[in-house]
Amino acid sequence: MKILLATHWLIPHVGGVWNFMQQLKNRLEQLGHEVDLLGNSPDYKKIHIVNRGKELAKEALLPMLESKLNAQTAPGLNQHYAIRHYEFERYCMELAAAYFGLDHYDIIHTQDSFSTRSLGRVKPKRTPLVSHVHGSIAREMKDHFRNNPSKGIHEGSPAWRYFPALEYHAAMSSDLTIAANHWSKNILMTDCGVPDYRITVFQYGLDVAAFQGKYNAGTTLRRPIGKKVIFCPARLVYVKGIHVLLDSLAILKQIRNDWVCWIAGDGDMRRQLEEQSVRNGLQHDVVFLGEYNNVPGLLSQADIFVHTCIQDNQPFSVMEAQMAGLPSVVSTAGGLPEMVTHGHTGLLAPVGDAAGTAQHLSLLLEQEQYRLFLGQNAKTFALKHWSLDLMVERMLNVYYGALAQKSSM
């Protein structure tokens, strides 16, 4: 089969969606399929098929869109800057996909609601469209608006209603939507009104051999003598909850100082978080590593994995930590309770609970045997549950089912 994997997000990029697309592409190609990757360029200035060298600059499209979709001709689109921004982005992808051509693909598999809505409008009718949700755009944007009241967006405003409507129309325009967990499926049903029968659920997979190779390669970083490493790989953005982690570590420091925390990742909150670290007296205890291209290598030096996110879906970082045999201290956000069993493979704390997180970290630092027990359980679970072969088998069954459905129409 010729398969197009498409996303509105940046590719290549440091993050779960890009990791997922790369893993899926590699395994599908090993099975003899041909796979292309479509998305935004890292500078957001182009739409490109990254592995083919095809690209189209948005500056070539925006003047036409601005002239055709002005306040007089498209008042709904122009009623709020957020709606206008995302709709223009969506139209750029539509036009670029039509320009590149979609006729030669047997399957189109999108990775977010924006790309699903875009490609669903310009693809050939005979070509199946399978959509994947890697989180809830509607929930994430609502959290963003709540925490940024200066944006002037509140319940009942057009921009507030836009994102659930987008997710609904995206799901309804695809032949089937895949969710990685029941949390994602329930949001699509309750928040967006998508019928149950249009959604299937199965978890991600992890390429164990590739992970093990990076893990064995290790890192040049070494833990300070006499201290354990608490490790958090995450983008430095609000939804990842690093500010909660820093408050938690400030509490932990009052209890014990036999630890150091490595934070691997970058983002628009980096300076703010570094300043918070200094205010909390953690400048000698917390190390901001920036973007790091071998997270498994860092896991080889770590003792405890922590993820205090405000919202997340099924993060690869948790899967990798479990594969490395580390206990996870995570929040109850999103799909995390479906990944970590409290008291068996890790410990859960309510979203935003810095004190609870600190207590869990202190417990694992204090009780070595318990930490090792949770870590071994996590590895056993990971080897059984995060099977890439099982995920790809299920994915191919979805593809063939969608093809059969189209051919019978």
Side-chain angles (χ1 to χ4, degrees):
M1 286 188 292
K2 291 186 177 180
I3 303 163
L4 177 66
L5 303 181
T7 182
H8 164 79
W9 311 120
L10 311 180
I11 57 170
H13 186 56
V14 176
V17 173
W18 175 239
N19 288 338
F20 174 83
M21 292 173 70
Q22 283 185 299
Q23 276 199 156
L24 183 56
K25 172 182 168 64
N26 291 340
R27 185 53 58 92
L28 288 171
E29 288 182 337
Q30 290 171 11
L31 295 171
H33 303 287
E34 185 178 333
V35 183
D36 287 344
L37 303 173
L38 169 71
N40 267 282
S41 61
D43 60 7
Y44 252 126
K45 293 183 178 180
K46 298 175 289 190
I47 306 293
H48 63 165
I49 299 178
V50 65
N51 60 305
R52 296 291 182 193
K54 293 183 177 182
E55 61 182 43
L56 183 60
K58 293 180 187 177
E59 66 179 12
L61 304 173
L62 288 173
M64 176 183 65
L65 291 174
E66 288 166 353
S67 67
K68 296 292 185 181
L69 301 174
N70 54 53
Q72 288 71 42
T73 59
L77 182 150
N78 286 277
Q79 60 189 314
H80 193 275
Y81 72 88
I83 298 175
R84 176 183 169 87
H85 169 76
Y86 284 108
E87 284 293 283
F88 270 54
E89 286 292 320
R90 193 171 62 74
Y91 277 118
C92 282
M93 178 161 283
E94 284 187 19
L95 292 169
Y99 172 75
F100 297 146
L102 301 175
D103 291 344
H104 57 291
Y105 293 111
D106 299 300
I107 289 282
I108 297 173
H109 182 180
T110 52
Q111 310 301 317
D112 57 85
S113 296
F114 295 107
S115 59
T116 304
R117 187 74 174 128
S118 295
L119 271 62
R121 285 162 48 95
V122 295
K123 73 173 185 66
K125 289 185 178 180
R126 60 174 173 77
T127 306
L129 173 62
V130 174
S131 63
H132 221 121
V133 290
H134 300 282
S136 171
I137 293 172
R139 287 278 181 97
E140 189 167 334
M141 293 306 298
K142 286 178 180 179
D143 284 343
H144 173 70
F145 297 147
R146 287 191 189 99
N147 289 285
N148 293 273
S150 62
K151 302 288 186 183
I153 301 173
H154 51 80
E155 291 189 38
S157 65
W160 188 276
R161 298 191 300 270
Y162 169 76
F163 296 98
L166 171 75
E167 294 199 300
Y168 169 81
H169 288 295
M172 297 302 288
S173 65
S174 64
D175 294 285
L176 186 69
T177 295
I178 302 170
N181 49 48
H182 292 282
W183 172 78
S184 291
K185 178 178 179 178
N186 290 337
I187 288 177
L188 284 173
M189 292 171 60
T190 59
D191 290 15
C192 307
V194 180
D196 175 274
Y197 70 90
R198 298 191 71 92
I199 312 167
T200 190
V201 177
F202 56 83
Q203 78 280 5
Y204 298 143
L206 186 66
D207 188 332
V208 177
F211 170 84
Q212 202 63 50
K214 292 181 179 180
Y215 181 88
N216 293 338
T219 174
T220 56
L221 288 177
R222 290 293 179 265
R223 73 181 73 207
I225 296 173
K227 296 196 175 186
K228 287 186 169 60
V229 174
I230 300 168
F231 182 49
C232 175
R235 288 180 293 120
L236 304 187
V237 296
Y238 175 81
V239 74
K240 296 300 182 181
I242 308 300
H243 57 290
V244 178
L245 174 60
L246 294 176
D247 285 343
S248 174
L249 294 175
I251 297 170
L252 181 64
K253 189 174 181 180
Q254 296 174 10
I255 304 171
R256 57 195 309 125
N257 62 2
D258 56 344
W259 55 272
V260 65
C261 181
W262 293 348
I263 299 176
D266 211 341
D268 57 20
M269 285 188 67
R270 178 163 183 168
R271 181 174 178 180
Q272 180 181 335
L273 292 168
E274 289 175 335
E275 291 172 352
Q276 180 185 352
S277 179
V278 173
R279 287 196 307 272
N280 287 358
L282 299 170
Q283 59 267 40
H284 302 300
D285 309 288
V286 174
V287 182
F288 289 89
L289 300 175
E291 289 188 2
Y292 207 88
N293 62 5
N294 186 8
V295 167
L298 291 172
L299 286 167
S300 71
Q301 288 292 305
D303 299 284
I304 300 168
F305 172 88
V306 63
H307 191 46
T308 52
C309 62
I310 307 303
Q311 180 181 297
D312 216 328
N313 182 39
Q314 193 176 99
F316 272 81
S317 60
V318 177
M319 297 163 63
E320 291 181 327
Q322 291 179 333
M323 195 66 71
L326 296 185
S328 298
V329 176
V330 302
S331 75
T332 53
L336 287 169
E338 297 179 51
M339 302 180 76
V340 177
T341 302
H342 184 74
H344 184 69
T345 59
L347 298 170
L348 293 161
V351 174
D353 186 357
T357 301
Q359 290 173 2
H360 291 338
L361 292 172
S362 181
L363 176 65
L364 296 182
L365 290 167
E366 176 71 26
Q367 298 191 17
E368 178 81 1
Q369 290 305 311
Y370 186 50
R371 179 179 65 80
L372 294 174
F373 167 77
L374 294 180
Q376 184 55 55
N377 289 344
K379 185 163 188 175
T380 300
F381 172 81
L383 289 169
K384 179 180 179 181
H385 196 69
W386 305 129
S387 166
L388 182 61
D389 289 335
L390 178 59
M391 184 199 78
V392 172
E393 179 185 341
R394 289 170 168 170
M395 199 75 71
L396 286 170
N397 286 337
V398 169
Y399 290 171
Y400 291 132
L403 282 166
Q405 183 179 6
K406 285 292 186 184
S407 65
S408 65
M409 295 174 63

